[in-house]
Amino acid sequence: MPKSLTSSCIPAKKPRGADLPSHERHHNRQLAQLRVVGEHINRRLKIFRILKEQYRNRRKRFGLRCNLIAGLLNYELALFS
């Protein structure tokens, strides 16, 4: 297995002609719930054009702008929860 995938967790595949055991089904469901949270965060970040498209400005300021966008979203989440 490549070094970059050693800490990743992938869902279990159903064997051909059999059902997936309940503990593996439960594990797949937990992974899906975690993945949905990450996908929703990506969706909220990509509303901003700077993160959606190719960045064409100074590279030094990209991190600052990403932090500002993340701060805005965190503030909005704290405001409504």
Side-chain angles (χ1 to χ4, degrees):
M1 188 174 263
K3 185 174 180 147
S4 63
L5 297 178
T6 56
S7 64
S8 65
C9 192
I10 57 174
K13 289 179 71 175
K14 182 178 89 67
R16 188 183 306 221
D19 289 333
L20 203 60
S22 63
H23 66 279
E24 288 183 353
R25 192 175 309 130
H26 178 72
H27 180 260
N28 286 353
R29 194 168 288 233
Q30 293 293 329
L31 282 177
Q33 288 174 353
L34 189 64
R35 188 180 314 119
V36 164
V37 172
E39 292 296 330
H40 285 305
I41 291 170
N42 284 340
R43 180 191 66 82
R44 293 185 67 118
L45 287 172
K46 289 198 173 185
I47 289 171
F48 293 89
R49 186 174 177 182
I50 192 172
L51 297 176
K52 185 181 355 183
E53 296 177 358
Q54 185 177 14
Y55 187 67
R56 298 168 62 100
N57 297 322
R58 293 186 193 171
R59 283 190 212 129
K60 282 186 176 180
R61 295 186 182 168
F62 182 71
L64 173 69
R65 291 179 177 149
C66 286
N67 287 338
L68 287 172
I69 291 170
L72 280 171
L73 291 177
N74 287 336
Y75 178 74
E76 183 182 335
L77 285 174
L79 196 63
F80 292 114
S81 57

